[in-house]
Every structure is written in C-alpha cells, then in structure tokens.
Amino acid sequence: MELHDVWFVLIAVLWTGYFFLEGFDFGVGILTKLLARTRPERRVLINTIGPVWDGNEVWLLTAGGATFAAFPEWYATLFSGFYLPLLLILVCLIVRGVAFEYRAKRPEENWQRNWETAIFWTSLLPAFLWGVAFGNIVRGVKLDRNFEYVGNVWDLLNPYALLGGLVTLTLFTFHGAVFTALKTVGEIRVRARRLARWVGLIAAVVALAFLLWTQADSGDGKSLVALIVAVVALTAALVTNQAGREGWSFALSGLTIVAAVAMLFLSLFPNVMPSTLNGDWNLTVTNASSSPYTLKIMTWCAAIATPLVLLYQGWTYWVFRQRIGTQHIAPDPAVGAAH
C-alpha cells in the first residue's frame, strides 16, 4: 500500500472518530430543547458533555490538518468550493464553545436561556451540514480541469446531499439520546430512552434510504459489507435501548456511525472528490497528495503522537464516567453548568 493510500485511510479514521465523539455531544446539545423540561435538567444534559466536548473537537482539527498536509489539492478545492457551509459550521462551533463557557457566568434566567438556545442551534446546524458536505464529497461536484469548483452554493443543496444531512442529524440525535440514557439517572434517563426509540426509528428509515442510494451509485462489495454492518448495528441499538441496556445501545449506535462513514469512504476511494463534469478531472489520492517525503515525515509524527492523544482522551472519559441527575445539581444556577 502506498503512503497516500495509508493517509486516505488515516483521514477516514479521523473523521470517523470525530463523528462518533462529536456526534453524541451534538445530539445532547439538540436534546437540551427536545428532552429537558426544567433548568436543572438542561444543566444535567450540559454537564454530561461538559468535560469532553472540547476534546472531541480535536478530532476535527486533526482531520483538517491531516488533509491540508497529506492532500493539499483536496484541502484547497474542498475549503474553497464549500466555503460558505464550512464557514457556517465554524461560526457555529465558535458560538457553541462560548455558550458552554458563558452560560453559567450570570444567574439571570434570560441570560442562561439565550445561551441554551445558542447551544441547541449550534449543535443542530453542524449536525445537518456535515451530512450535506460529505454527501457532496461522495456524490461529486462541479470540478474543472484545474480541479477548481465551478458550481455555486445552491448546487450543494441537491436531494442526495440534503438526505445525507438528515441522516447525520437524526443519527447524531439518536446517539446523543442513548448517551444521555447511559450518563443520567432518574426521570430524564427514562425519557431519553423513550425518545431514542422514536428518533432511532426515523434515523433507520433515512439512513437506509441514503446508504442504499450510495451503494447503487458508487458502491462495491466492500461498501456493501459496511452497509450491512450499519443496518444490523442500528437495529441492535434500537433493540438494546428498548431493553434498557444503555451501554450496549451506545456502543451499537456508535458502530452504526462508524460503519456508515466507512461506507462513504469506501465508496469514494480512490477518489477524494469526484468531478460531475468529467471523470478525468476527478481528484484522487494520487493527484491530490503531497510528496512521498512529506507523507513519510507525517507518518512518523502520527505514530508518536496518536497513542498519547488516545490515552489522554480515554483517561478523561474514565474520570468522568459517573452518572448524574438533577439531585447532583447545586441550587445556585450560576455554578458549574459547563464543567
């Protein structure tokens, strides 16, 4: 296997890790409006992801940096062609981070309610837009012979990509609901499991339609295996959620996301961004990659740094593994809402 193939796989792994981890905290952010009924319950939801949400976003930074270094042509075309939606995602992530930190700085109800509304919308919009972006990457966009995007923002809002957005939105919300059930006690845990059942059924319908469409357009035997794994995992996640096995349900909902993202990258390879104008103008792992020397240096750096990052993040999740409920929330509304 060539180094540019290795780095395609590594970038796929980074995006998969990002969607697995950021997926549930996007889902929890969405549930602050759909599930929580009182201020203490909203604080419980925020506290479930308070210690880990910023660490989850490191996967996005690493995926973007790896793409820039390993496949600069892909990075340039992607970030210039998808400028407006990616800018909107970036703004949402910035506001979302500020909302987590500033929500508890003042005790006034309006202040906290406004920041909670910001958390909801800045979780929902990226959850939808990431699916739209990856739908367009897999489907292909209007690239000319110079690998430059010559379409407009409306071309990105095609039916396939919009369906992809619904898939990520519903899957992440389901993932967040089963995570909430895993991390909480009391009434909110019961309601999270109940909501997960209905959101999961919706996610199953839209995900099956999207993955079958993908398989019909650009799939092969390997992507078909990933599709089957995703369908079986999501079905098992719904069953285990109904049975009250939150740990298994969360692991299986995560496996669904992993298999779905793997299917997209398997359908994409060896392209990194197909052209809908001419197949000869596709960006591939070969014509978009950096030099072999650059890839070699990156490989050594990744081999040293990646285990350390994984150990640190795993330790963080272990330290904050306990369940919480409204009885653990201090009476003062200004204390510790995001940590």
Side-chain angles (χ1 to χ4, degrees):
M1 181 181 288
E2 300 288 340
L3 278 178
H4 51 65
D5 297 333
V6 172
W7 273 96
F8 179 85
V9 173
L10 290 176
I11 288 171
V13 169
L14 289 170
W15 280 110
T16 302
Y18 174 67
F19 287 139
F20 180 97
L21 296 171
E22 189 85 309
F24 73 73
D25 71 45
F26 280 150
V28 171
I30 294 168
L31 293 178
T32 57
K33 291 293 185 182
L34 301 183
L35 181 65
R37 295 176 179 174
T38 63
R39 180 185 293 183
E41 289 187 349
R42 286 191 292 273
R43 293 176 62 196
V44 166
L45 289 177
I46 293 172
N47 283 357
T48 63
I49 59 174
V52 298
W53 68 267
D54 48 356
N56 294 344
E57 291 187 355
V58 170
W59 289 76
L60 172 61
L61 299 176
T62 308
T67 304
F68 172 77
F71 299 101
E73 192 71 51
W74 184 15
Y75 181 93
T77 302
L78 175 64
F79 280 78
S80 60
F82 293 16
Y83 178 79
L84 286 178
L86 291 179
L87 177 62
L88 180 56
I89 290 174
L90 177 62
V91 170
C92 285
L93 294 180
I94 293 171
V95 173
R96 187 168 181 264
V98 172
F100 281 130
E101 298 298 333
Y102 274 63
R103 178 195 170 278
K105 297 302 182 183
R106 289 170 57 179
E108 291 89 345
E109 183 176 352
N110 285 342
W111 172 271
Q112 297 195 2
R113 184 171 60 246
N114 289 339
W115 284 120
E116 288 163 359
T117 300
I119 290 172
F120 170 77
W121 286 109
T122 56
S123 299
L124 186 148
L125 287 175
F128 176 75
L129 290 174
W130 278 127
V132 173
F134 271 83
N136 279 291
I137 291 172
V138 174
R139 171 182 174 269
V141 292
K142 295 179 179 179
L143 300 183
D144 64 14
R145 65 177 66 250
N146 297 316
F147 308 126
E148 294 181 0
Y149 179 65
V150 293
N152 56 55
V153 69
W154 303 112
D155 292 327
L156 302 178
L157 302 179
N158 55 79
Y160 176 80
L162 292 174
L163 182 59
L166 290 177
V167 171
T168 51
L169 176 60
T170 54
L171 272 183
F172 290 172
T173 305
F174 173 66
H175 198 38
V178 295
F179 177 79
T180 299
L182 177 64
K183 286 287 293 179
T184 58
V185 295
E187 177 63 23
I188 194 168
R189 176 188 178 189
V190 175
R191 278 190 273 118
R193 282 166 44 193
R194 188 183 306 131
L195 180 63
R197 178 179 61 196
W198 295 111
V199 175
L201 290 172
I202 297 171
V205 173
V206 294
L208 182 61
F210 178 76
L211 296 179
L212 287 175
W213 191 345
T214 304
Q215 181 66 25
D217 274 359
S218 55
D220 57 15
K222 294 178 181 178
S223 63
L224 179 60
V225 172
L227 186 156
I228 294 171
V229 172
V231 171
V232 172
L234 183 53
T235 302
L238 287 167
V239 172
T240 51
N241 174 72
Q242 186 68 19
R245 303 295 297 273
E246 292 101 343
W248 279 104
S249 184
F250 177 71
L252 288 164
S253 68
L255 179 59
T256 303
I257 294 173
V258 169
V261 176
M263 181 187 176
L264 294 184
F265 278 95
L266 287 168
S267 301
L268 187 61
F269 186 80
N271 298 316
V272 294
M273 187 173 284
S275 172
T276 57
L277 300 179
N278 189 324
D280 294 333
W281 300 343
N282 291 350
L283 270 172
T284 68
V285 293
T286 303
N287 62 26
S289 71
S290 295
S291 68
Y293 180 75
T294 299
L295 297 178
K296 185 177 180 180
I297 296 298
M298 290 176 60
T299 303
W300 280 107
C301 293
I304 296 171
T306 303
L308 299 176
V309 174
L310 292 176
L311 285 172
Y312 173 76
Q313 193 160 27
W315 176 79
T316 301
Y317 278 93
W318 175 256
V319 170
F320 294 100
R321 67 189 182 277
Q322 294 86 0
R323 293 177 181 266
I324 61 173
T326 53
Q327 65 270 30
H328 302 119
I329 300 299
D332 180 3
V335 176
H339 295 286

